[in-house]
Amino acid sequence: MPSSELRISAETRRLLVSIHDVAPCFESEVDRLVEILEARLGAARFAMLVVPDHWGRASLAQAPRFQARLRGWAEAGVEMFVHGWYHRDDAVHGGGAGFKARHMTAGEGEFLGLSQAEVLRRMRDGKALLEDIVGMPAAGFIAPAWLYGPGAMAALEECGFALAEDHFRVWQPGNADRPLARGPVITWASRSTMRTASSLFFAALARRAMQRQRVVRIAVHPGDVTKASLVRSIDRTLAAFSAGHVPGRYAELLA
């Protein structure tokens, strides 16, 4: 869709859709998700969350073919976010962080327990790598599993990212108390039967309850394409919201 057709006013209801965990090890799954999204939204009307070295087993720096694909998607208009470094959480947690690490993700809250210095190193390295590959600024930073510890929140202000997102809001680093968008992300879970069932239920509920929300966010993951029930739910949810919301870009929230 030409950019001249995407002049969106502040009153327009927006639909922001993202593919998480974009990495060389998930290339075929990402291709399938791109196909699903473009069928409903049009070409390149979504964001990609790129992991530089997924679980230490899928180094983007050593994958020139996948780098070229990222560059092509970015040049077509896909927004590129840095999505952690490893995506894997190796920290030992206690208290509230321990609860989040156990119940909100399967060992993937990488930025939940890291020190500010280590977070800053990974953020800067990820930003430099992604920007070198795509030849343009990263759209922002989104932590794996949307989980940020104190070190991550502090480092965000130093790193120069335009946007950040968690499960309930989008904000400019340094202005977390003034969100640009609010409301839960609609997403799906494939790692267990119970989680799949609950995500299907929430998506069905959201298709009715969130129609009047100004900004709706939908996030899909490589694992979603492994279950036909999730693919059907994703397609129905995209159809339901694209009818009344304009598929847009995160950057439009800054306008």
Side-chain angles (χ1 to χ4, degrees), residues 4 63-64 83 122 129 179 224 255:
S4 61
H83 191 42
R122 296 189 193 190
L129 176 64
D224 295 343

Side-chain angles (χ1 to χ4, degrees), residues 109-122:
E110 178 186 6
F111 282 71
L112 184 58
L114 296 176
S115 69
Q116 181 177 345
E118 179 60 20
V119 168
L120 191 59
R121 183 184 72 80
R122 296 189 193 190

